[in-house]
Amino acid sequence: MHDDLFQFLTNNPAITAIFGARIFHEFLPQSNDTYPALTFQLASSNDTAEDMEDNDAQRLVEDRWQMDVIARKSADVINAAKQFDSIFRIFRGTMGAVAVQHIERANESHLGDVTGDKQNRRVSLDYSITFAMN
Amino acid sequence: MAEQIKLTGLKELDAKLARMGAKAGFKTLRSAMMEASKPMFVAARSNAQSTGSKGFDAGATAAAMGRWTKKIRENRTVLLLGPKNKSKKAVSLWNAKHGTAVKRLNHFHLLEFGSIHGGAQPFLRPAFDAHKVSLARNFGRILAMQIEKAGKR
């Protein structure tokens, strides 16, 4: 799922219109000085039980991905997070080799970080992504 | 860090609890909530232990893990699960490891959600996601057992 998700995020024109190439796994590189930026990482993953009566049934997996939208100003980060959410949450279909069945926003937290004399605003969004696995 | 499970549809058990009276009813409900949430709590503490084993917090997060109930209103009781920032054992582990003399630990949200320069090491969300369905499924049965148990006393 990780590679498929990364490909989706970096190749979706609506998402790159918000973040450009500033989409990173886990955390922001210290060299990054342009905002808004997006970081993503897996927070949890759970498989559903297999259907015992159907040998051809696909196994469903529910992953929780933490997506952090980061910017310098509060208004910028909230605006970027809203835009991203409106694009990402409605997605259904194929993401690389994965058939996404459902995306739901499971949590939203507003967080902040201070690095030296610079403040960063962060909107942390959790998405529960349900997809089929062969 | 405020994931919630709201259970409805247990009207019969609710009525039985009400008949037990406020004090006994609350005690029974609390016992059921504690028992039903135990697998989630054990998983969260185990996750926190593996976070601590990375060396930075010397097991303080796992030691701080706790759960407690709170009666918010006459007909509303919640169970909270997570690290307690004033846990004596956790604070003492932290101070021994880092040579500090802090009185409370305020870094748990950084482990759960990370920061812009450090990835998250979630310990609560995986436990919540893994056990939310079984908790909701088992709660009614556990509450019924606790009511029966209280009735025999």
Side-chain angles (χ1 to χ4, degrees):
Chain A
M1 180 75 194
H2 172 270
D3 291 345
D4 299 311
L5 181 60
F6 184 65
Q7 290 299 323
F8 172 79
L9 293 171
T10 51
N11 290 320
N12 184 302
I15 294 175
T16 52
I18 308 168
F19 302 110
R22 299 176 300 278
I23 298 172
F24 308 100
H25 180 229
E26 272 197 285
F27 52 85
L28 204 62
Q30 286 198 332
S31 56
N32 182 75
D33 214 19
T34 315
Y35 297 91
L38 178 76
T39 64
F40 70 102
Q41 79 169 93
L42 182 66
S44 76
S45 182
N46 290 289
D47 288 9
T48 57
E50 288 182 51
D51 187 342
M52 303 301 276
E53 292 175 357
D54 183 357
N55 291 333
D56 298 325
Q58 287 180 312
R59 200 156 49 93
L60 285 180
V61 179
E62 190 182 308
D63 277 3
R64 180 196 285 251
W65 287 84
Q66 179 180 333
M67 310 269 181
D68 287 352
V69 180
I70 301 155
R72 287 276 190 238
K73 290 180 185 169
S74 188
D76 293 347
V77 78
I78 289 170
N79 186 35
K82 269 186 187 166
Q83 283 183 54
F84 173 72
D85 183 61
S86 68
I87 299 160
F88 191 69
R89 195 156 34 131
I90 58 165
F91 179 81
R92 304 285 182 278
T94 309
M95 202 180 268
V98 171
V100 172
Q101 299 200 346
H102 185 68
I103 297 180
E104 181 185 278
R105 194 179 65 209
N107 191 35
E108 177 175 346
S109 310
H110 290 197
L111 306 162
D113 295 282
V114 179
T115 309
D117 59 347
K118 289 178 183 171
Q119 281 189 343
N120 289 296
R121 305 286 181 178
R122 179 160 61 116
V123 173
S124 186
L125 301 160
D126 278 10
Y127 290 99
S128 174
I129 303 178
T130 308
F131 59 95
M133 208 169 185
N134 288 315
Chain B
M1 240 187 275
E3 299 283 0
Q4 291 183 13
I5 299 172
K6 190 177 178 183
L7 292 175
T8 54
L10 299 170
K11 281 183 184 167
E12 201 182 310
L13 293 172
D14 202 26
K16 280 186 182 175
L17 276 178
R19 281 200 294 273
M20 290 170 80
K23 204 173 172 184
F26 172 68
K27 275 187 174 177
T28 306
L29 180 60
R30 186 177 60 187
S31 302
M33 288 171 111
M34 284 299 214
E35 194 177 328
S37 65
K38 195 175 177 184
M40 189 184 282
F41 173 72
V42 170
R45 193 173 54 188
S46 163
N47 294 342
Q49 190 64 51
S50 56
T51 302
S53 69
K54 290 180 182 173
F56 183 68
D57 84 340
T61 309
M65 282 300 298
R67 64 200 155 121
W68 57 102
T69 50
K70 212 171 182 179
K71 192 170 184 176
I72 294 178
R73 286 198 302 272
E74 195 53 46
N75 58 354
R76 189 171 160 86
T77 302
V78 295
L79 179 131
L80 302 154
L81 189 158
K84 294 179 173 178
N85 57 8
K86 285 182 184 170
S87 156
K88 282 183 184 171
K89 192 177 173 192
V91 169
S92 133
L93 281 167
W94 177 270
N95 284 334
K97 166 85 178 174
H98 295 277
T100 51
V102 296
K103 289 181 179 167
R104 57 191 291 168
L105 301 174
N106 296 321
H107 66 272
F108 299 125
H109 66 291
L110 292 173
L111 288 173
E112 184 66 34
F113 290 110
S115 72
I116 61 161
H117 296 307
Q121 297 172 45
F123 55 99
L124 290 172
R125 286 174 292 171
F128 181 85
D129 288 344
H131 294 281
K132 62 185 177 188
V133 176
S134 58
L135 191 155
R137 202 168 41 214
N138 293 336
F139 183 71
R141 183 180 53 80
I142 292 170
L143 181 59
M145 274 167 55
Q146 290 294 340
I147 290 172
E148 200 180 322
K149 210 169 147 186
K152 283 178 186 169
R153 277 187 210 128

